[in-house]
């Protein structure tokens, strides 16, 4: 039985990517080791499944379609910059979503359906777009001050009209994402 590394995501509108790229360029001026997410790969993860059997994809798609049918397209505002777990211990640098109640509702309903298929429920869901992963503490204070500088940055708004079940293929030059199926809201 073949397997696929899969996740469910909301893709970022292309017109917002240059604004996020300007933030990334600021971080790139710091002498530190950060692995940046390719602009083409920017997304908001709703659920990471890991390695799953391709035979189970149909069942997963049915659950997604069922939940998605309850939602209409909605607007989100992409704003702020921060770090996980926090600004003093930086592992992930992210851009946030303001007023994420509809995304949280969507996530929670999806998560409930996925748990009925045997997937673990997410312990803590956070609406964000990962822009980079910090690989060392070198010049951490400069990274921290750049995060704080962009803490209230306004990226823009977009309408979420679909979510995508994606395949992730890991390569030495970074992951390659392909849509398995797109679900219209």
């Amino acid at each position: 039985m073949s397997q696929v590394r899969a996740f469910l995501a909301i893709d970022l509108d292309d017109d917002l990517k240059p604004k996020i790229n300007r933030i990334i360029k600021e971080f790139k001026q710091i002498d530190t080791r950060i692995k940046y997410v390719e602009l083409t790969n920017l997304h908001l993860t709703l659920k990471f499944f890991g390695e799953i059997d391709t035979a189970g994809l149909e069942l997963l798609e049915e659950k997604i379609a069922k939940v998605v049918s309850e939602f209409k397209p909605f607007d989100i505002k992409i704003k702020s910059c921060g770090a996980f777990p926090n600004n003093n211990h930086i592992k992930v640098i992210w851009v946030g979503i303001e007023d994420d109640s509809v995304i949280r509702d969507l996530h929670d309903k999806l998560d409930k359906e996925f748990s009925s298929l045997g997937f673990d429920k997410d312990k803590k869901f956070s609406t964000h777009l990962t822009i980079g992963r910090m690989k060392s503490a070198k010049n951490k204070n400069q990274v921290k001050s750049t995060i704080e500088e962009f803490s209230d940055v306004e990226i823009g708004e977009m309408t979420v009209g679909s979510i995508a079940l994606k395949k992730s293929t890991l390569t030495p030059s970074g992951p390659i994402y392909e849509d398995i199926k797109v679900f219209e809201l």
Side-chain angles (χ1 to χ4, degrees), residues 3-67:
Q3 293 208 313
V4 63
R5 189 171 192 263
F7 64 96
L8 189 63
I10 295 170
D11 285 317
L12 185 67
D13 281 357
D14 285 341
D15 63 332
L16 298 174
K17 292 177 181 178
K19 296 173 184 174
I20 292 176
N21 196 36
R22 281 200 289 274
I23 297 168
I24 291 171
K25 282 181 178 174
E26 289 296 318
F27 284 105
K28 284 183 174 178
Q29 291 179 24
I30 303 166
D31 181 20
T32 189
R33 287 186 52 230
I34 297 173
K35 173 85 171 106
Y36 297 98
V37 174
E38 293 289 328
L39 287 180
T40 54
N41 286 346
L42 280 174
H43 66 274
L44 190 152
T45 303
L46 288 168
K47 181 74 174 180
F48 179 73
F49 299 107
E51 296 285 337
I52 57 173
D53 289 331
T54 52
L57 283 176
E58 196 175 310
L59 214 54
L60 201 56
E61 290 171 8
E62 285 172 17
K63 296 289 188 186
I64 297 166
K66 176 186 169 191
V67 172

Side-chain angles (χ1 to χ4, degrees), residues 75-136:
D75 294 332
I76 59 171
K77 187 174 190 177
I78 299 164
K79 182 184 176 181
S80 73
C81 183
F84 291 136
N86 58 56
N87 287 2
N88 290 317
H89 188 74
I90 304 163
K91 293 263 187 227
V92 171
I93 302 167
W94 52 260
V95 171
I97 311 295
E98 188 176 78
D99 186 22
D100 59 359
S101 57
V102 179
I103 292 175
R104 286 186 176 282
D105 189 33
L106 177 62
H107 167 270
D108 293 349
K109 287 181 176 170
L110 287 164
D111 213 28
K112 186 177 178 193
E113 291 294 328
F114 300 147
S115 72
S116 74
L117 296 176
F119 289 99
D120 290 338
K121 278 196 163 189
D122 290 332
K123 288 178 180 62
K124 188 178 179 201
F125 176 70
S126 172
T127 55
H128 70 282
L129 298 151
T130 297
I131 61 171
R133 290 178 174 80
M134 193 133 174
K135 299 295 182 183
S136 79

